[in-house]
């Protein structure tokens, strides 16, 4: 296949091109569209790159393996979220039975005025949340997903999503808000709004 | 004063997930209750803190690992093309620049060749003016990931706009032949007529300086593939295009070529070839990954 503008095809059509016709460039295009989000979400849920990579591989393999079961009632992106959350939950469950895998600490890139401590503290606080709260909060606050999408991706009711987000935010606010002692000695952890 | 608002409602309120009637009540309460307003602020700061975390993207190597896992574990095993040599193991990345025109010479800065016109009827390999100082030992090809980055990268190539200025539509066939012979090394492959047949005939030779430096053309990184890809792009376009440059890059983790062509501006098909069109093609099979153009 030469110069076929695969980029113009829908996600579903790309999946079909690979599954039915073996066009491997369709995989490349699909990966370009979605790996950032899948990997990024998995990273925030699982907390390290190695697990995020494992989960991402499962997700994309799942996209092609389960293509036949994709129902067009939901958007492809919602389905992808669901596969990602499932892969992370499975992996998280397996990991929880093992000694904690090397928890790679990302070295945060300082922003324009050198603020990195805040992010480290937020990152640590987020990791301390239960996985279901963390998943809901990351999807909502980092990826802008609606409650409905989060509910679909996590196979729960919207009310449950609402509750998980609220409990997660409360816990984060308690850790980060300096109620009593701040969690580290590096000073104020939440900057005021400009 | 009404009852305090529960945390769940405050949190949902921040996300615009509270029904209008409940929202009006909630806002009325917040206006008169510093305690609830304070809790709302604390929740908002927590949400804001998460929102400021950087989005973590996979590295090109991680994207390749995902791709490889998919293709290898797909029923039926390895799909053709999985085993290709990754760019990290190829001989660095190379820049190929070529051009032709009345002056037939492109001052290409640190990258690129100055070309001579081919002698009529023959397909003599062109010799370069030792100007090619491609960073062969560069650890990795430039990694680009969006149309904007492609545009910025192409704009930063010092020789492209200049090359486009010196090319006319009448030169398309000759310039194309020269470019292809460059990237085919010593041009032992398909005769140029095979792919240049539909192009206009070369303009009568101007006083083209012959370069006697005797520096041989650089061999193509994957013989047969890059020239075939350039030809495929040319064949797919109705208007005259003159290839100017090919750069080995990585586009969102996929080994790719950035191909630059001179073309006439969109509004004046017969005009001078002052626009540089850029295609990013997958090296695996020359599928178009990105297409953009630079207008001077």
């Amino acid at each position: 296949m030469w110069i076929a503008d695969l980029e113009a095809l829908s996600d579903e059509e790309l999946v079909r091109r690979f599954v039915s016709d073996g066009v491997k460039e369709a995989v490349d295009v699909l990966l370009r569209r979605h790996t950032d989000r899948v990997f990024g979400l998995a990273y925030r849920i699982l907390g390290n790159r190695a697990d995020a990579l494992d989960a991402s591989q499962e997700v994309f393999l799942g996209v092609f393996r389960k293509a036949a079961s994709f129902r067009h009632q939901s958007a492809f992106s919602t389905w992808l979220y669901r596969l990602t959350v499932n892969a992370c939950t499975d992996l998280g469950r397996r990991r929880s039975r093992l000694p904690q895998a090397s928890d790679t600490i990302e070295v945060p890139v300082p922003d324009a005025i050198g603020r990195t401590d805040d992010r480290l503290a937020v990152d640590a606080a987020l990791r301390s949340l239960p996985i279901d709260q963390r998943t809901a909060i990351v999807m909502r606050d980092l990826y802008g997903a609606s409650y409905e999408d989060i509910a679909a991706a996590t196979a729960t009711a919207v009310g449950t999503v609402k509750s998980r987000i609220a409990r997660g935010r409360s816990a984060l606010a308690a850790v980060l808000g300096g109620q009593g002692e701040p969690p580290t000695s590096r000073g104020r952890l939440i900057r005021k709004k400009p | 004063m009404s009852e305090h608002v529960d945390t769940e409602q405050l949190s949902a309120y921040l996300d615009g997930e509270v029904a209008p009637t409940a929202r009006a009540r909630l806002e009325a309460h917040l206006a008169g209750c510093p305690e609830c307003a304070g809790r709302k602020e604390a929740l908002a700061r927590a949400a804001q803190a998460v929102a400021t975390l950087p989005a973590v993207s996979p590295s090109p190597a991680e994207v390749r690992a995902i791709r490889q896992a998919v293709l290898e574990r797909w029923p039926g095993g390895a799909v053709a093309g999985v085993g290709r040599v990754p760019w990290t193991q190829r001989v660095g990345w190379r820049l190929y620049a070529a051009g032709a025109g009345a002056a037939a010479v492109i001052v290409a800065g640190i990258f690129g060749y100055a070309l001579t016109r081919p002698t009529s009827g023959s397909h003599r390999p062109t010799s370069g003016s030792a100007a090619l100082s491609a960073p062969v030992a560069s650890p990795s090809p430039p990694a680009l990931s969006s149309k904007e980055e492609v545009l910025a990268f192409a704009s930063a190539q010092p020789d492209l706009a200049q090359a486009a200025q010196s090319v006319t539509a009448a030169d398309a066939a000759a310039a194309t032949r020269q470019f292809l012979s460059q990237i085919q090394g010593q041009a032992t492959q398909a005769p140029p007529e095979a792919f240049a047949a539909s192009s206009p005939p070369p303009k009568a030779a101007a006083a083209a300086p012959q370069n006697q430096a005797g520096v041989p053309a650089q061999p193509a990184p994957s013989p047969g593939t890059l020239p075939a890809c350039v030809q495929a792009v040319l064949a797919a376009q109705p208007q005259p295009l003159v290839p100017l440059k090919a750069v080995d890059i990585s586009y969102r983790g996929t080994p790719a070529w950035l191909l630059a062509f001179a073309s006439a501006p969109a509004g004046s098909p017969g005009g001078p070839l002052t626009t540089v069109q850029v295609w990013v093609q997958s090296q695996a099979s020359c599928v178009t990954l990105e297409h953009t153009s630079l207008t001077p």
Side-chain angles (χ1 to χ4, degrees), chain A residues 1-7 18-19 22 24-25 27-29 31-33 35-36 39-41 43-44 49-50 53 56-58 60-61 64-65 106 108 119-120 122-123 126 137-138 140-143 145-148 158-159 162-163 165-167 169-170 172-173 176-177 190-193, chain B residues 7-18 41-59 61-63 65-67 69-71 73-75 79-82 84 225 228-229 232-233 236-237 251-254 279 281-282 284-290:
Chain A
M1 170 178 275
W2 292 90
I3 322 288
D5 205 352
L6 291 170
E7 293 284 359
F18 177 65
V19 171
K24 63 183 187 305
E25 287 75 21
V27 175
D28 294 329
V29 175
L31 287 178
R32 270 196 300 284
R33 282 187 198 167
T35 35
D36 279 4
F39 184 94
L41 177 59
Y43 173 82
R44 288 292 167 203
R49 297 192 81 98
L53 181 59
S56 301
Q57 290 175 340
E58 290 306 318
F60 285 103
L61 203 55
F64 298 108
R65 282 183 176 159
E106 289 285 307
R119 287 182 184 171
L120 273 178
V122 175
D123 192 38
L126 194 60
I137 281 193
V138 168
R140 174 64 217 159
D141 291 331
L142 210 47
Y143 289 91
S146 67
Y147 282 23
E148 205 176 322
V158 169
K162 193 169 156 183
S163 151
I165 291 176
R167 279 183 287 140
R169 282 177 181 162
S170 274
L172 286 181
L176 299 170
I190 292 291
R191 50 184 172 275
K192 282 182 187 150
K193 286 185 178 168
Chain B
T7 304
E8 227 173 273
Q9 281 294 93
L10 285 175
S11 169
Y13 171 71
L14 294 172
D15 295 324
E17 299 266 357
V18 174
E41 280 309 307
L43 292 172
R45 281 196 302 271
Q48 182 58 31
V50 174
T52 57
L53 287 173
V56 175
S57 300
S59 67
E62 284 164 335
V63 174
I66 295 168
R67 176 182 192 270
V70 168
L71 297 183
R73 289 166 59 194
W74 180 248
V79 174
V82 180
R84 61 197 300 280
T225 307
C229 191
V233 173
Q237 301 305 315
Y251 189 71
R252 305 209 70 180
T254 303
W279 272 268
Q281 304 292 117
S282 106
S285 61
C286 195
V287 168
T288 300
L289 307 178
E290 200 63 81

Side-chain angles (χ1 to χ4, degrees), chain B residues 76-172:
Chain B
V79 174
V82 180
R84 61 197 300 280
V85 181
W87 54 261
T88 44
Q89 289 164 28
R90 286 188 240 138
V91 191
W93 62 290
R94 298 183 177 117
L95 299 171
Y96 301 90
V105 172
I106 293 163
V107 181
I110 55 167
F111 304 124
Y113 290 107
L115 295 183
T116 59
R117 297 181 63 84
T119 52
S120 101
S122 80
H123 186 224
R124 195 163 61 84
T126 52
S127 55
S129 72
L132 185 93
S133 61
V136 172
S138 174
S140 62
L144 308 178
S145 60
S146 67
K147 183 174 274 192
E148 290 68 34
E149 285 180 21
V150 168
L151 204 56
F153 181 81
S155 305
Q157 302 300 311
D159 50 340
L160 275 185
Q162 213 170 354
Q165 296 292 339
S166 66
V167 173
T168 68
D171 296 318

Side-chain angles (χ1 to χ4, degrees), chain B residues 224-274:
Chain B
T225 307
L226 177 56
C229 191
V230 172
Q231 288 174 44
V233 173
L234 289 169
Q237 301 305 315
Q239 81 276 28
L241 287 179
V242 177
L244 299 173
K245 187 164 188 166
V247 184
D248 198 358
I249 66 166
S250 160
Y251 189 71
R252 305 209 70 180
T254 303
W257 288 302
L258 183 148
L259 306 176
F261 299 83
S263 80
S268 56
L273 307 184
T274 51

